[in-house]
């Protein structure tokens, strides 16, 4: 691969160019034969439209191996990505985990977070090395029909996640107003997210990233406060993180463990992160600069996901300590003399079933156990989780639409479209359903997003493992390929088990069975297509020369000519 051999002074001048002066070669590899070089009508050539306010951060030119100043310059995208690990759907999964299995599933949460970090690293490499985010790469590498299907599946995942966030925000507003603001009004209030998003979008990039940092800090303080006042035994928490077996396992534990993985790893988050890292100006003609960016982004993502992990641990531990082994009747009895007794009686059925808790009931229980202040602190944390995740979800929708469809919409149109698509079904459910029905949607939406996971994981592994796209210096190694493929398919298998287990709890009519079989057939066939496409990128030349594959799956004749060039060291 021929990188430009620029002098140090030239490198510094390249790194300090303004966005308006940055050419398309600064965002793509320099080779004219590159498979990822954008066409003239691509959104890639309109750099000012790509990010927040059309701004990029220019990291300094440090000569040391590691610099905190440079790390700070690259800090931002990883924390925005980590917000998806803290959305209201994750919080609800956390508290249910603590109730069902006490601390014994914390190791699953840790493992899921590490797995998420591994997948996010691959997505980051695609954005940093190629200058294209995952959605843009899909636009380049897939045929039109499967590309449109892939985009629709990603949009379904984004809408599902957005509904969780909108509903979570509405519940937080309901609690903070002490039930004065109905849920459907709370959903409508989230329309203001659109305006706040557009308002914040006018600010400088670093200010916007700091605002998201403030929301994460709010969650840490809110849920950390609950952790401290509950006086949770620290050794039990630590053992739960690192010892993968326990006497606390009860019926439903396995399903809850699968639910944790499904809630933590969000498919659209891979598309989001691969786009966010392009907000830093990187001279992709220099291997050293690209390696440096990859290294700092990985460090930042590790720190960000560590913060999100401990926030999740706070939630799991509080409810493990207070409600593990407790029944609905136990909760009613304990709160009989509190100011929340009427609310608790209305929210809980008087029976000996395991305490049925959701985000709303969790606030009531905390208010009963630790006082009204605790309930409001909890609601503030949920509000911060909902507000931050709904904004990053809007970014994910923007990047997916621009990348897959190569569309350039005015920013307010994109934001309004993605907001409306998510808010309309959430408002319908909030208006016509009871609170109990609304919160039960969390499991359904987690199952929906679990179904979409292959549509992000498989392309991520495929593109990051392609020597023609990533070049020899950055392509996944043999061990890394094996691990990423094994982890991807393991998670996919676990999520499918989660979905099947949930379907077994539903009484299916003949029409529903027909629909499930029809969708299942389509789902399997489309995954086979993605897998065959991935195998071509992994270097299976025999498969790539197959006439069926060339006609229906992959017909890019430049792919293996690029591979041959790399193999010959040219």
């Amino acid at each position: 691969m021929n990188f430009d051999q620029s002098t140090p002074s030239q490198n510094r001048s390249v790194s300090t160019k303004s966005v308006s002066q940055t050419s398309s070669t600064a965002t793509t590899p320099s080779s004219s034969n590159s498979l990822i070089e954008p066409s003239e009508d691509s959104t890639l050539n309109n750099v000012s439209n790509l990010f927040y306010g059309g701004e990029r951060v220019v990291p300094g030119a440090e000569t040391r191996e590691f610099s905190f100043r440079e790390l700070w310059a690259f800090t931002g995208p990883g924390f925005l990505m980590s917000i998806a690990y803290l959305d209201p759907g994750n919080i609800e999964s956390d508290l249910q985990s603590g109730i069902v299995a006490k601390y014994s599933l914390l190791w699953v949460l840790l493992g899921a977070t590490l797995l998420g970090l591994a997948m996010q690293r691959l997505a980051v490499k695609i954005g940093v090395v190629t200058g294209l985010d995952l959605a843009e790469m899909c636009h380049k590498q897939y045929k039109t029909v499967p590309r449109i299907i892939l985009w629709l599946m990603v949009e379904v995942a984004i809408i599902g996640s957005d509904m969780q966030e909108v509903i979570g925000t509405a519940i937080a507003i309901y609690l903070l107003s002490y039930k004065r603001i109905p849920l459907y009004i709370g959903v409508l209030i989230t329309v203001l997210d659109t305006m706040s998003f557009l308002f914040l979008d006018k600010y400088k990039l670093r200010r916007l990233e700091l605002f998201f940092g403030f929301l994460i800090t709010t969650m840490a303080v809110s849920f950390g406060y609950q952790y401290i006042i509950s006086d949770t035994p620290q050794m039990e928490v630590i053992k739960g993180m690192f010892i993968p077996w326990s006497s606390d396992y009860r019926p439903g534990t396995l399903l809850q463990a699968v639910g944790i993985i499904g809630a933590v790893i969000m498919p659209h988050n891979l598309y989001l992160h691969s786009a966010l890292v392009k907000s830093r100006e990187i001279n992709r003609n220099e291997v050293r600069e690209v390696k440096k960016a990859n290294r700092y982004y990985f460090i930042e993502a590790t720190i960000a996901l560590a913060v999100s992990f401990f926030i999740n641990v706070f939630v799991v531990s509080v409810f493990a300590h207070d409600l593990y082994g407790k029944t609905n009747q136990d909760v009613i009895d304990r709160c009989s003399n509190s100011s929340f007794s009427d609310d608790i009686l209305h929210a809980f059925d008087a029976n000996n079933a395991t305490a049925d808790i959701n985000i709303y009931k969790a606030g009531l229980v905390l208010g009963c156990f630790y006082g009204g202040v605790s309930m409001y602190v909890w609601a503030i944390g949920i509000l911060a989780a909902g507000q931050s995740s709904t904004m990053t979800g809007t970014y994910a929708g923007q990047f997916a639409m621009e990348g897959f469809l190569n569309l350039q919409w005015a920013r307010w149109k994109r934001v309004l479209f993605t907001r409306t698509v998510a808010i309309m079904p959430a408002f319908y459910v909030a208006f016509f359903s009871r609170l109990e029905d609304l919160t039960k949607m969390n499991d359904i939406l987690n199952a929906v997003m679990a179904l979409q996971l292959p549509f992000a994981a498989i392309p991520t592994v495929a593109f990051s493992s392609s020597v023609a796209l990533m070049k020899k210096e950055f392509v996944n190694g043999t061990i890394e390929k094996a691990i990423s493929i094994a982890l991807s398919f393991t998670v996919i298998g676990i999520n499918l088990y989660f979905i099947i287990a949930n379907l077994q709890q539903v009484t299916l009519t003949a029409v529903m069975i027909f629909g499930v079989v029809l969708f299942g057939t389509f789902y399997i066939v489309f995954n086979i297509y993605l897998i065959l496409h991935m195998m071509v990128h992994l270097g299976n030349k025999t498969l790539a020369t197959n006439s069926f594959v060339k006609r229906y799956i992959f017909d890019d004749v430049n792919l293996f000519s690029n591979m041959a060039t790399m193999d010959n060291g040219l």
Side-chain angles (χ1 to χ4, degrees):
M1 183 173 183
N2 294 324
F3 288 93
D4 292 343
Q5 302 299 316
S6 306
T7 63
S9 61
Q10 288 171 324
N11 293 338
R12 282 193 296 273
S13 66
V14 169
S15 66
T16 56
K17 283 183 179 180
S18 66
V19 175
S20 61
Q21 295 171 319
T22 304
S23 66
S24 62
T25 56
T27 56
T28 57
S30 58
S31 171
S32 60
N33 294 324
S34 173
L35 296 178
I36 54 176
E37 190 166 346
S39 60
E40 290 186 2
D41 62 342
S42 171
T43 55
L44 293 175
N45 286 325
N46 190 354
V47 179
S48 64
N49 253 353
L50 280 176
F51 295 99
Y52 323 111
E55 178 190 6
R56 288 191 179 189
V57 173
V58 181
E62 294 280 351
T63 58
R64 292 172 291 176
E65 284 297 315
F66 178 82
S67 163
F68 283 105
R69 184 186 298 273
E70 280 196 302
L71 176 60
W72 174 247
F74 283 98
T75 296
F79 280 91
L80 267 69
M81 169 275 298
S82 71
I83 286 171
Y85 290 70
L86 295 168
D87 69 6
N90 276 287
I91 301 302
E92 186 157 313
S93 178
D94 289 338
L95 63 89
Q96 290 171 351
S97 168
I99 294 168
V100 171
K102 206 172 185 180
Y103 312 105
S104 59
L105 290 181
L106 286 175
W107 67 274
V108 176
L109 178 62
L110 176 61
T113 304
L114 292 175
L115 175 57
L117 176 62
M119 295 304 298
Q120 298 296 156
R121 177 176 175 271
L122 299 184
V124 165
K125 281 203 329 184
I126 292 172
V128 171
V129 174
T130 70
L132 302 185
D133 61 51
L134 187 55
E136 291 166 337
M137 188 66 77
C138 289
H139 178 83
K140 290 284 184 181
Q141 298 301 319
Y142 291 113
K143 290 177 176 290
T144 302
V145 172
R147 172 166 54 84
I148 296 299
I149 294 174
L150 200 59
W151 170 66
L152 291 174
M153 295 297 101
V154 173
E155 288 294 342
V156 168
I158 293 172
I159 291 169
S161 175
D162 225 1
M163 285 183 67
Q164 287 181 315
E165 293 150 7
V166 169
I167 291 170
T169 303
I171 291 174
I173 293 171
Y174 186 66
L175 285 171
L176 286 171
S177 67
Y178 201 66
K179 302 188 296 184
R180 290 184 178 87
I181 300 178
L183 287 177
Y184 64 91
I185 298 297
V187 170
L188 290 177
I189 289 175
T190 61
V191 174
L192 295 176
D193 289 349
T194 303
M195 301 307 296
S196 64
F197 180 91
L198 290 170
F199 175 75
L200 289 169
D201 210 30
K202 301 297 183 183
Y203 276 81
K204 289 186 177 295
L205 170 60
R206 297 299 273 172
R207 292 179 183 175
L208 180 62
E209 290 174 342
L210 285 172
F211 174 73
F212 281 104
F214 166 75
L215 292 176
I216 293 174
T217 303
T218 301
M219 286 182 266
V221 171
S222 172
F223 302 134
Y225 170 81
Q226 313 292 347
Y227 183 79
I228 292 171
I229 65 174
S230 68
D231 196 23
T232 304
Q234 305 301 313
M235 287 307 299
E236 292 295 316
V237 174
I238 294 172
K239 285 182 356 186
M241 287 185 198
F242 299 105
I243 300 177
W245 58 84
S246 172
S247 59
D248 293 326
Y249 289 152
R250 305 168 68 188
T253 299
L254 178 59
L255 194 59
Q256 188 62 49
V258 174
I260 290 174
I261 298 174
V264 167
I265 303 176
M266 298 285 188
H268 61 279
N269 216 29
L270 298 175
Y271 290 91
L272 173 68
H273 202 188
S274 67
L276 290 174
V277 296
K278 291 162 50 186
S279 60
R280 268 58 178 176
E281 190 175 338
I282 302 165
N283 180 13
R284 292 183 175 84
N285 295 327
E286 286 291 335
V287 173
R288 183 177 64 84
E289 292 296 311
V290 177
K291 286 183 176 179
K292 178 180 72 174
N294 277 326
R295 181 173 68 252
Y296 281 123
Y297 275 134
F298 179 68
I299 294 172
E300 185 230 2
T302 302
I303 296 171
L305 289 187
V307 171
S308 72
F309 169 72
F310 283 110
I311 293 175
N312 282 312
V313 167
F314 292 157
V315 178
V316 174
S317 302
V318 167
F319 290 92
H321 178 261
D322 289 332
L323 289 176
Y324 173 73
K326 299 295 190 298
T327 65
N328 290 321
Q329 188 62 54
D330 291 334
V331 175
I332 293 172
D333 292 342
R334 179 167 175 179
C335 298
S336 59
N337 295 322
S338 76
S339 59
F340 290 87
S341 59
D342 290 340
D343 294 318
I344 293 291
L345 277 172
H346 186 265
F348 288 85
D349 295 326
N351 56 42
N352 290 321
T354 300
D356 180 21
I357 303 293
N358 51 47
I359 290 177
Y360 168 67
K361 293 180 183 179
L364 297 181
V365 168
L366 290 172
C368 165
F369 288 6
Y370 302 107
V373 172
S374 188
M375 184 198 74
Y376 288 114
V377 171
W378 168 262
I380 290 171
I382 298 298
L383 182 64
Q387 291 288 92
S388 57
S389 56
T390 198
M391 292 172 71
T392 54
T394 302
Y395 276 130
Q398 171 190 332
F399 294 138
M401 182 180 293
E402 288 185 344
F404 276 107
L405 305 182
N406 198 20
L407 285 180
Q408 291 190 26
W409 276 16
R411 196 175 303 275
W412 70 269
K413 291 181 180 178
R414 291 193 301 265
V415 174
L416 186 60
F417 173 79
T418 54
R419 256 321 65 263
T420 303
V421 169
I423 285 175
M424 287 181 65
F427 175 79
Y428 178 85
V429 174
F431 190 81
F432 292 102
S433 301
R434 299 178 306 157
L435 179 62
E436 291 77 9
D437 298 328
L438 192 64
T439 52
K440 286 177 182 176
M441 284 186 62
N442 185 62
D443 290 337
I444 298 173
L445 293 173
N446 278 340
V448 168
M449 285 182 287
L451 277 172
Q452 315 309 317
L453 186 60
F455 308 135
I458 294 176
T460 300
V461 173
F463 301 145
S464 62
S465 299
S466 173
V467 68
L469 301 179
M470 302 296 290
K471 314 307 178 185
K472 278 189 173 181
E473 291 84 358
F474 306 105
V475 70
N476 295 338
T478 303
I479 296 178
E480 195 171 27
K481 287 179 184 177
I483 293 174
S484 59
I485 292 171
L487 289 177
S488 298
F489 283 98
T490 298
V491 172
I492 292 168
I494 289 173
N495 282 320
L496 288 176
Y497 167 82
F498 175 65
I499 294 164
I500 293 170
N502 276 282
L503 282 175
Q504 291 175 344
Q505 299 176 12
V506 179
T507 302
L508 298 175
T509 64
V511 175
M512 293 172 66
I513 293 173
F514 175 77
V516 169
V517 171
L518 187 65
F519 177 77
T521 303
F522 157 77
Y523 186 82
I524 293 170
V525 169
F526 192 60
N527 272 282
I528 290 173
Y529 166 83
L530 293 177
I531 292 169
L532 290 174
H533 194 279
M534 178 182 70
M535 292 176 68
V536 175
H537 275 290
L538 289 172
N540 191 320
K541 297 181 182 181
T542 302
L543 184 62
T545 55
N546 181 278
S547 58
F548 176 84
V549 172
K550 290 180 69 175
R551 182 173 182 180
Y552 296 106
I553 298 178
F554 203 112
D555 60 355
D556 195 331
V557 295
N558 293 323
L559 180 68
F560 290 105
S561 64
N562 274 265
M563 285 186 174
T565 300
M566 297 302 163
D567 291 340
N568 292 328
L570 298 178

